[in-house]
Amino acid sequence: MEKEVGSDLKSLKNVGELLEKLREENSVLEEQVITDSSSMPPKVSAALSAAEEAGCSLEDLLQREALISNRLHQHLQDAQPWMDKLDQTLHKVNTIERHVKYLRCLQHIEELSAAVQQCLMTSSVWEAIRAVDSMAALDTGLNQSGCSHLQAFLQETLHFWHKIIKDRLTTDFEKVLIQLHWPFISPPTQSLTPTANCQEISSQLELLVSQLLALQNSDDLISQRALASCHGVPATQPASSATPPSKALPLCLPIQIMLLPLIKRFRYHFYGNRQTNTLSKPEWYLTQVLMWIGNSSTFMEERIQPILDRAGATTSAMVELCRGLLSLVQEKVASDASRLLYDDALFCHLVEEVLQFEKELRGNHSYPAVLPGLLHLLLDDAILQKWLTVEKKMAVEKMDAMLSSEGAWSSQYKDISDMDELKAPDCAETFMTLLQVITERYRSLPCPSAQLKFLELQRELVDDFRIRLTQVMKEESRCPLGARYCAILNAVNYISTILGDWGDNVFFLQLQQAAVSLGEEAVLGGLGVLELGRLASLEGSLFEGLLALLDRLKGDMMGRLLEWTMREITEKVRPYGQERWLSLPPQQDQSTMTLSSSACPMMLCVRDRLLNLHQVLSFSLFQLAWQGLAERLDNVLYQEVVLSNHFSEGGAAQLQFDMTRNLFPLFGHYCKRPENFFKHVKEACILLCLSVGSAILLRNLLKESEEEARNMTVAGDPPPESALNELGVYCLAPCDVLILLNLRASWPGQ
C-alpha cells in the first residue's frame, strides 16, 4: 500500500485493482502447490512398491537358504560314517607308506653296509669310502627325523664301518710314514728315503692321504657327535679351559694321524712323574713343540702339501700340524697356569715363555694371526689379574732398586756427546725401558680391553715415579745448582719427551680409539664431553694428564734453578751498578775501550753458570735455561744499572761496550742474535748513546705527543712509536723512553 498509494489520497481508487491483482497471484500459487503435491505420490508409491518387492525377494531367499542349509546338514550327518571310514583308511595308508619308507631306508642302510663289506673284501677302498660317505649324507638327512632307533642303527653302522676303514688306512699310512722316518724328532738329513722304492712309497703316500681326505666328512660328523654327547658331562680335563673362544674346525684327518706319535711323546715326557714335567721349566715343552714344527716343515711342505693341493683341499699342511700341536700346548699351559697363581716367580717365568713362544710361532713359522695361539689363555680373569698384580709388584721393586743405586743420577752415555743429548740419568732411562718392556709384553694381546688395563698400570707407574722424583727433588732443593738436582730435572724432561712421542705412536693411538669406543672409565678417568671429543678426534692423547703434571714439575724446578742462579749473579751486578757512570770520560778521550773492572765478576759468573748448565742440562732444557736467564738478567741490568744511574756520554759508551762486546757474546755461543734476548738493555743503550741533536728532537717529539694525549687533541704528525722504531726501539714505551732520555747528563746548558 505504501509503495502503490503512498501519501497521495487521490490514489486510493486504485486499491481495488491492487486487491484483485493480489488475489490472482494467490490463486496461481495455490494451483502450483496443489499441482506439485499431487505429482509427488506416484514417485513415492513407486519407491514403496520397489521396497516391498525387495522385502518379498529377501524373505524368499531366506526361506531357500534355510531349506538348503537343512538339506546340507542332513547330508553331512549321513556322510559322516563314510568320512570316518575314509580317514581310517587314509591313516592306514600313511602308516603303511611310512613303514615302507622306513623299510626302504633300512634296506638302503643294509645295502650300503653290504657294499662296504664287499668293497673291503675286494680291497676296493675308494668304493667303500664312497658308500660310507653316502651313509654320512643319509645320517645328516635324518638329523631332524623322529625315528630314534633308525638313527641309532645308522649311526652305529656308520661308526662301525668308518672305524674299520679308518683303522685300515691308519695302519697303512703309519707304515708309510715309518718308512719316511716320520716323526722328525731331530733335524732331518738329506737322504732319509731309500732311492730303490722311493717312487712306490710316494705313490702309496699320495693314495693314502687322498683316501683319508675322502673320509674326512664322515670323520668330522662322528667327531662332532661324540663332542656333543660329551658336552653335557662336567669336564674335569684342563683342555676345557684351553679351548679358544672361537669354534675351531676339525683337523685334517691325515694330519691327525701324523700327530699321534708326537702326542704320545708329548704326554709321555710332560705329564705324570717324569723329570721333564716340572712347573719351573715350561720352556722345555714349548721349545720341544717349536723344534717339532721346525723339523717337520720341509716334509710337510714338500711331501704332504702337494698331495693336498692335488686333492683339492684348501688347507695348509703346516698350519694344520701347528694347530694340532698347539692344542697340546694350550692344554698344558692352561693346567700349569692355574697351579702357579700363588707363585709369583714361576708365574712370571711362564708368562715370559708363553710370550716368547707366541712371538716365534708367529714370526719364524708364519702361523696365521687369525688363528688362536696361546695368548688367549692369559686373558682368563684370574690369570690376567695375577699378571697385572705381579707386573706392578716387580715394577715397583725395580723402581726402588734403580733409585737407590749408586749410579742412579748419572748418565751412562755421559762420555759420548753424540748420544747424550737428553742427558737422561740412568734411573729415568731404566724406568722408561721398563715401561717399554711392559708395552712389548702386552702389545700382542688379542683383546683391547686387556691392553687398556696394562696401559692404566703404566700410567700409575709413571705417576708413582713422578712422585718419587718430586720427593728427591725436595731434598735437593737446598742446592738447585747441584748435579743431582739437574739430573732430576733431566729425568722429568726425558720422561715427558718419551710420553709425548708415545702419544703419537700408532699403537697407543689405536688404544686411544679403543678406550673411547669401549668407554673404559679406568683409562678415561671421568673426562668431560669436550675431552672425550678431543681423544676421539686424536687431538689429545691418553698421556695428557701425566704430561701436564710433569710439565708443571719441570717448570717449578726450572724456575727454582734460575732463581738461585740469578741470586748469585745479582750479587755481582750490584758493584757494577754502583760504577761512576756520570763521571766516566768520553770515548774519544780513551785510547782503547776495555771492560769495566766492576763488570768482570758478573761476566765471569754468567759465563761459569752458562757453561755449568750447558754441561748438566739436556739440550732442550738448556735452551729454556739460558733464555730464561737472559730475560731475568735483562730485567736486573735494566733496573739495577740503567734506571738507577745517570750517564755521561762516556758512561753510556762504556755501558754499551760492556753489553754488546762482552755480555751479549757470552750468549752468542747458543744463538745468532743474543741481543734480541736483552731488549731492555739493548734499547736503553741505543737511547743513551744517541747524539745530542737526535736526543733533543726525540725528547721534544715525545713531550709534544704526551701533551696532545693529555689535552686529547689529534695532530696530523705520525705517532712517536714510528720514530722509535726507526731508531731500533720496539720494546720500550714512550714514557719509558722519556725516563731514559732524562738519565742522560750531556744536555746543552748542563
Side-chain angles (χ1 to χ4, degrees):
M1 289 290 290
E2 286 291 333
K3 181 178 179 182
E4 296 293 334
V5 178
S7 60
D8 188 6
L9 296 177
K10 294 180 179 182
S11 300
L12 290 175
K13 60 181 182 180
N14 298 328
V15 171
E17 297 177 358
L18 179 62
L19 181 61
E20 187 66 25
K21 181 179 179 181
L22 291 173
R23 286 175 178 170
E24 291 177 358
E25 292 178 356
N26 190 29
S27 299
V28 172
L29 291 173
E30 286 179 355
E31 290 177 359
Q32 290 179 354
V33 171
I34 292 172
T35 304
D36 293 340
S37 61
S38 62
S39 62
M40 289 299 294
K43 296 182 179 179
V44 174
S45 62
L48 291 174
S49 299
E52 289 177 357
E53 292 177 359
C56 293
S57 299
L58 178 61
E59 188 70 23
D60 184 47
L61 289 174
L62 289 174
Q63 292 177 359
R64 291 174 61 190
E65 185 271 338
L67 179 62
I68 294 174
S69 177
N70 292 332
R71 290 179 179 177
L72 179 60
H73 183 67
Q74 183 64 35
H75 179 73
L76 290 175
Q77 287 181 346
D78 296 340
Q80 186 63 39
W82 296 98
M83 293 175 61
D84 294 340
K85 292 181 180 180
L86 181 60
D87 286 341
Q88 294 176 2
T89 304
L90 291 176
H91 180 69
K92 292 179 180 179
V93 170
N94 289 335
T95 303
I96 295 173
E97 186 177 3
R98 288 199 304 272
H99 289 171
V100 170
K101 290 182 178 179
Y102 189 95
L103 292 174
R104 285 178 180 174
C105 185
L106 189 61
Q107 181 183 4
H108 184 52
I109 296 172
E110 292 176 346
E111 289 175 354
L112 290 175
S113 178
V116 173
Q117 183 179 11
Q118 183 66 27
C119 291
L120 291 178
M121 291 174 64
T122 59
S123 299
S124 302
V125 180
W126 278 113
E127 296 298 329
I129 292 175
R130 293 189 186 95
V132 169
D133 202 26
S134 299
M135 278 190 200
L138 181 60
D139 187 14
T140 304
L142 292 176
N143 192 29
Q144 302 298 326
S145 173
C147 303
S148 58
H149 296 290
L150 180 63
Q151 284 182 319
F153 174 71
L154 175 58
Q155 291 168 7
E156 290 176 1
T157 305
L158 174 62
H159 187 271
F160 175 78
W161 289 118
H162 173 83
K163 184 177 184 303
I164 291 177
I165 297 175
K166 182 178 178 181
D167 290 346
R168 177 181 291 187
L169 293 178
T170 300
T171 303
D172 295 341
F173 189 44
E174 287 176 344
K175 291 179 180 179
V176 173
L177 290 176
I178 291 174
Q179 295 182 53
L180 294 173
H181 306 281
W182 178 267
F184 298 110
I185 306 304
S186 58
T189 58
Q190 294 297 324
S191 58
L192 290 176
T193 306
T195 56
N197 57 349
C198 177
Q199 187 65 34
E200 180 183 353
I201 293 177
S202 298
S203 301
Q204 292 179 2
L205 178 67
E206 182 163 2
L207 177 63
L208 290 170
V209 170
S210 302
Q211 291 174 344
L212 287 170
L213 286 175
L215 202 62
Q216 184 76 43
N217 291 336
S218 58
D219 189 76
D220 292 346
L221 182 64
I222 294 173
S223 300
Q224 291 172 4
R225 184 175 294 112
L227 183 63
S229 63
C230 297
H231 188 69
V233 181
T236 58
Q237 295 83 356
S240 61
S241 60
T243 303
S246 59
K247 184 178 179 181
L249 295 174
L251 284 175
C252 179
L253 186 55
I255 307 300
Q256 292 182 30
I257 299 171
M258 296 178 69
L259 283 168
L260 292 176
L262 295 176
I263 294 174
K264 185 177 180 180
R265 286 176 178 272
F266 188 89
R267 296 193 181 279
Y268 176 81
H269 288 291
F270 304 115
Y271 281 89
N273 297 324
R274 300 291 175 184
Q275 293 183 353
T276 49
N277 180 29
T278 171
L279 292 174
S280 61
K281 297 293 183 180
E283 63 270 24
W284 284 355
Y285 62 82
L286 294 175
T287 304
Q288 183 63 72
V289 169
L290 289 175
M291 288 177 60
W292 286 345
I293 293 175
N295 296 339
S296 307
S297 60
T298 302
F299 179 81
M300 300 300 290
E301 293 172 0
E302 295 181 358
R303 288 300 188 94
I304 305 299
Q305 188 61 50
I307 300 175
L308 297 181
D309 295 339
R310 286 191 290 269
T314 58
T315 55
S316 168
M318 197 62 214
V319 171
E320 291 293 286
L321 181 70
C322 292
R323 285 179 58 207
L325 292 174
L326 268 178
S327 64
L328 290 174
V329 180
Q330 289 168 355
E331 177 183 346
K332 181 64 176 174
V333 170
S335 174
D336 289 356
S338 61
R339 298 165 61 189
L340 296 177
L341 291 177
Y342 302 100
D343 192 320
D344 293 350
L346 294 182
F347 180 83
C348 290
H349 182 57
L350 175 64
V351 171
E352 289 286 353
E353 292 299 329
V354 167
L355 294 174
Q356 183 63 29
F357 176 87
E358 185 82 14
K359 182 178 179 181
E360 292 189 21
L361 181 68
R362 306 288 183 182
N364 298 342
H365 301 291
S366 303
Y367 191 66
V370 295
L371 296 177
L374 296 182
L375 294 183
H376 67 277
L377 301 175
L378 303 179
L379 300 181
D380 180 77
D381 291 340
I383 296 176
L384 182 61
Q385 189 58 45
K386 179 65 177 180
W387 186 5
L388 288 167
T389 303
V390 174
E391 198 78 69
K392 182 177 182 179
K393 176 184 175 182
M394 296 183 65
V396 172
E397 292 175 354
K398 290 179 181 178
M399 279 195 290
D400 293 336
M402 68 180 70
L403 288 174
S404 59
S405 64
E406 293 183 1
W409 304 108
S410 61
S411 173
Q412 57 179 326
Y413 306 112
K414 59 184 178 181
D415 298 328
I416 309 176
S417 58
D418 295 341
M419 299 179 62
D420 201 29
E421 184 175 314
L422 290 175
K423 291 185 170 62
D426 187 61
C427 63
E429 193 163 358
T430 305
F431 175 70
M432 294 311 295
T433 303
L434 172 66
L435 293 185
Q436 183 62 39
V437 170
I438 294 176
T439 302
E440 293 301 323
R441 276 198 286 265
Y442 75 81
R443 178 191 292 270
S444 54
L445 288 179
C447 177
S449 178
Q451 291 177 328
L452 289 171
K453 292 180 181 179
F454 281 95
L455 177 63
E456 180 58 25
L457 171 62
Q458 287 178 305
R459 300 205 309 178
E460 291 179 10
L461 293 175
V462 171
D463 196 49
D464 188 7
F465 195 75
R466 178 191 63 84
I467 294 173
R468 293 167 185 258
L469 290 178
T470 304
Q471 293 171 347
V472 180
M473 180 271 295
K474 290 180 179 179
E475 297 174 0
E476 300 294 329
S477 60
R478 290 169 294 182
C479 183
L481 301 179
R484 176 170 290 192
Y485 185 91
C486 295
I488 297 171
L489 183 55
N490 285 332
V492 174
N493 180 67
Y494 176 74
I495 296 173
S496 179
T497 302
I498 298 299
L499 290 182
D501 294 340
W502 283 6
D504 297 328
N505 185 277
V506 175
F507 173 69
F508 289 105
L509 290 176
Q510 291 173 345
L511 282 187
Q512 181 174 320
Q513 290 291 80
V516 174
S517 60
L518 295 175
E520 289 286 342
E521 287 295 329
V523 178
L524 300 178
L527 296 178
V529 178
L530 182 60
E531 289 80 1
L532 287 176
R534 293 183 69 251
L535 287 179
S537 60
L538 302 181
E539 294 180 9
S541 76
L542 294 173
F543 303 102
E544 274 191 344
L546 293 172
L547 289 173
L549 294 173
L550 291 170
D551 289 342
R552 184 187 304 173
L553 177 59
K554 181 171 66 175
D556 293 343
M557 294 185 67
M558 181 62 72
R560 187 177 288 107
L561 175 65
L562 294 178
E563 180 183 350
W564 275 74
T565 304
M566 283 305 303
R567 188 179 301 175
E568 182 180 0
I569 294 176
T570 302
E571 293 178 359
K572 303 295 190 295
V573 170
R574 290 195 182 99
Y576 183 63
Q578 297 170 1
E579 185 76 38
R580 300 174 62 187
W581 300 103
L582 190 59
S583 59
L584 290 177
Q587 183 177 358
Q588 54 269 22
D589 294 345
Q590 303 181 40
S591 58
T592 56
M593 294 289 290
T594 58
L595 176 65
S596 301
S597 59
S598 58
C600 291
M602 177 189 69
M603 299 293 179
L604 289 173
C605 184
V606 172
R607 184 201 65 181
D608 293 342
R609 287 300 161 227
L610 286 174
L611 288 175
N612 180 57
L613 293 176
H614 187 258
Q615 291 174 355
V616 298
L617 292 180
S618 66
F619 178 77
S620 59
L621 286 177
F622 178 68
Q623 290 293 109
L624 296 176
W626 76 257
Q627 292 175 14
L629 184 63
E631 180 182 356
R632 287 169 170 77
L633 184 57
D634 180 43
N635 290 328
V636 169
L637 291 173
Y638 184 69
Q639 297 290 336
E640 299 291 335
V641 178
V642 177
L643 295 182
S644 300
N645 292 282
H646 287 75
F647 295 86
S648 64
E649 182 181 349
Q654 184 64 47
L655 176 65
Q656 187 178 34
F657 179 81
D658 292 342
M659 297 296 103
T660 58
R661 300 294 297 276
N662 293 278
L663 179 63
F664 296 169
L666 291 178
F667 293 84
H669 296 288
Y670 316 114
C671 66
K672 293 182 179 180
R673 301 183 64 84
E675 62 273 10
N676 291 338
F677 296 91
F678 293 87
K679 294 180 180 180
H680 292 86
V681 172
K682 181 188 74 171
E683 294 180 3
C685 291
I686 292 173
L687 295 171
L688 293 175
C689 293
L690 277 178
S691 62
V692 177
S694 299
I696 293 174
L697 291 175
L698 181 60
R699 185 173 65 170
N700 292 338
L701 175 63
L702 294 176
K703 286 183 177 180
E704 291 175 1
S705 176
E706 190 176 26
E707 288 294 331
E708 292 173 357
R710 189 179 299 114
N711 297 330
M712 300 183 66
T713 58
V714 180
D717 298 332
E721 286 80 3
S722 60
L724 294 175
N725 293 343
E726 291 179 1
L727 296 174
V729 178
Y730 300 93
C731 177
L732 297 175
C735 58
D736 296 327
V737 174
L738 272 177
I739 294 174
L740 288 172
L741 291 176
N742 290 330
L743 296 178
R744 293 169 56 100
S746 56
W747 293 105
Q750 294 183 356

